[in-house]
Amino acid sequence: MIRKLLSISILSLIILLTACNSSKQVGTGTATTEYAHSDERLKTVIEQNAIDWNVISVPVKLELKSPANISASARAYVCRDSSIYFSVRFLGMEIAMIDITNDSIIAVDKYHKYYAAERLTDVLANVSFDINSVQSLLFAHPFTHTEHISDIKQASLFKTFDKESDEWTAAPVRQNPLADYTFTYFKMDNNPKNTVISTAIGTITANYEDVKSSSIGISPAVTDIVINSQKLKAELSIRWSWKDVRTDNPSDKKHITIPKGYQRINAAALLKAFVH
């Protein structure tokens, strides 16, 4: 049970990335009417998120809803534009660590003394989808495949559209060569509704719930990742406890060191065995 739980936690995060590895579809997004001065709304969004921080740690709950229903408690340690580190716990004990950087994804199963390691370039098939993009996707912040968005002047990197409903959208003027990004917001308060990444083999949708102000900007209480591709359909929820967030503590900069005696396993083989 613990091994299965760990495998799901690790592989769900890897799946989140690998679903971006194919050529993009033609003509993504549903918005049709670009409206004047819509960039002012986007500037508001960017300004709300333009908060200086270097590292945070926050309790989270990882819940895989599909293809199975299993959950685990964890703590996320996030170094801005550098890494995302999850410490996964079961019955109060740390059973796994997951470390995602611009270079690699490493996961350690402490219970069985296993580890998995993948180069990010291999996982993403050379797609320009870096750690800043992953962080922004999880935190409901707009992003492009080349720029860290932190200044209202960067609103010019996006085109915005007014939908007929109570929503508006933004999309990078220069899309990722292998994926299209679309960000949807509510007109009433400019809070994020979802981010959609479209590729030739399917989509990743990040839906956001209960969005409130936090120490890193406007942040969702829940990030619900839905993967709908030819190869895999899955749903993973991350519940963030922002009331217990810790900001800029030097000890929260964490990376994995593989202990001696641990056996390397193949993450793709584990995923195939679990799904089938």
Side-chain angles (χ1 to χ4, degrees):
M1 172 65 183
I2 294 180
R3 179 177 176 180
K4 182 178 288 188
L5 177 64
L6 169 63
S7 301
I8 293 166
S9 302
I10 296 168
L11 296 171
S12 297
L13 293 169
I14 295 176
I15 292 165
L16 164 64
L17 300 175
T18 56
C20 298
N21 67 3
S22 293
S23 298
K24 66 182 181 182
Q25 296 174 341
V26 177
T28 60
T30 58
T32 57
T33 305
E34 187 169 5
Y35 66 96
H37 309 302
S38 60
D39 61 335
E40 295 303 317
R41 287 180 175 170
L42 183 59
K43 287 179 181 179
T44 299
V45 171
I46 294 173
E47 186 175 31
Q48 289 175 325
N49 294 326
I51 297 175
D52 289 332
W53 59 274
N54 295 311
V55 59
I56 61 169
S57 67
V58 55
V60 299
K61 182 179 180 180
L62 303 175
E63 182 179 1
L64 185 70
K65 297 181 177 180
S66 174
N69 193 344
I70 301 176
S71 63
S73 298
R75 192 170 188 97
Y77 300 85
V78 183
C79 291
R80 191 167 193 169
D81 299 336
S82 176
S83 65
I84 303 173
Y85 181 104
F86 288 95
S87 174
V88 183
R89 295 187 169 272
F90 185 72
L91 298 178
M93 298 183 296
E94 185 180 59
I95 62 169
M97 301 95 74
I98 306 163
D99 192 6
I100 308 172
T101 68
N102 275 320
D103 299 321
S104 62
I105 300 176
I106 302 174
V108 173
D109 176 349
K110 295 178 67 175
Y111 187 81
H112 295 93
K113 297 185 178 181
Y114 294 144
Y115 77 96
E118 302 288 345
R119 292 187 305 174
L120 202 60
T121 53
D122 292 341
V123 171
L124 298 180
N126 296 318
V127 175
S128 298
F129 194 76
D130 61 10
I131 194 67
N132 169 257
S133 300
V134 177
Q135 292 176 0
S136 297
L137 179 71
L138 296 180
F139 295 155
H141 297 172
F143 59 92
T144 76
H145 72 286
T146 58
E147 299 285 341
H148 169 87
I149 306 303
S150 59
D151 190 287
I152 60 173
K153 294 180 180 178
Q154 293 173 295
S156 63
L157 298 175
F158 299 84
K159 53 186 177 181
T160 57
F161 298 88
D162 185 13
K163 300 175 71 173
E164 294 183 357
S165 62
D166 59 351
E167 302 167 0
W168 61 277
T169 67
V173 173
R174 182 182 178 186
Q175 287 280 15
N176 188 317
L178 299 181
D180 283 349
Y181 306 159
T182 303
F183 310 95
T184 300
Y185 301 87
F186 294 106
K187 290 180 181 177
M188 181 178 65
D189 51 17
N190 292 325
N191 275 347
K193 176 184 179 181
N194 61 40
T195 297
V196 179
I197 300 175
S198 300
T199 76
I201 62 171
T203 61
I204 294 177
T205 303
N207 295 308
Y208 308 113
E209 299 178 18
D210 194 16
V211 179
K212 297 179 180 178
S213 179
S214 76
S215 60
I216 64 169
I218 301 300
S219 305
V222 180
T223 302
D224 193 28
I225 305 294
V226 180
I227 300 169
N228 186 5
S229 72
Q230 297 171 8
K231 296 181 179 180
L232 180 69
K233 298 184 186 301
E235 183 175 354
L236 170 70
S237 285
I238 304 177
R239 296 183 176 272
W240 311 90
S241 296
W242 293 111
K243 64 182 179 64
D244 296 317
V245 67
R246 187 167 60 212
T247 306
D248 290 338
N249 186 328
S251 65
D252 288 335
K253 295 181 178 181
K254 297 184 180 295
H255 289 289
I256 288 176
T257 300
I258 305 298
K260 291 183 179 180
Y262 275 48
Q263 177 185 350
R264 185 168 182 170
I265 57 175
N266 186 293
L270 268 180
L271 175 60
K272 184 176 181 180
F274 174 77
V275 174
H276 297 288

